[in-house]
Amino acid sequence: ATAFGPAITSFVQPEPVPSPQDFVLWSFFNTMFCNPFCLGFIALVFSIKARDRKVAQDPATAGSYGRTAKHLNIAALSVGIVVTIICLVLLILYYNVLQ
């Protein structure tokens, strides 16, 4: 006769994979307030694609779309800030010329 002791099983949970960012709010802000050359709108499209891929459990593609949206958001915000500063400087110069 053989004696078996109690069976001990252990379950190791894998580390949770961080969800890729989709930058939807930033893209929406750029679409509404800072949209030079439609960069904000294009970033919003990529952000929505990234969110759809996250829902479909495809983190690699979601990360790719998210990075593209991030780069487009950076470009839109940078160009928007530069254009705003140039417009303010031209407006101040024009106002000074009138006086």
Side-chain angles (χ1 to χ4, degrees), residues 30 34-36 39-40 71-81:
N30 282 338
C34 191
N35 197 15
L39 290 174
H71 294 142
L72 287 169
N73 279 321
I74 291 170
L77 191 62
S78 300
V79 171
I81 289 172

Side-chain angles (χ1 to χ4, degrees), residues 36-76:
F37 309 114
C38 293
L39 290 174
F41 179 72
I42 297 168
L44 183 63
V45 169
F46 276 98
S47 295
I48 292 171
K49 284 183 176 186
R51 183 163 285 186
D52 288 344
R53 291 289 89 201
K54 272 179 24 178
V55 170
Q57 301 295 321
D58 186 5
T61 308
S64 174
Y65 284 142
R67 281 188 301 278
T68 303
K70 179 175 125 181
H71 294 142
L72 287 169
N73 279 321
I74 291 170

Side-chain angles (χ1 to χ4, degrees), residues 4-24:
F4 291 104
I8 299 174
T9 58
S10 63
F11 179 71
V12 178
Q13 279 188 319
E15 290 291 321
V17 178
S19 178
Q21 291 183 327
D22 52 21
F23 303 104
V24 172

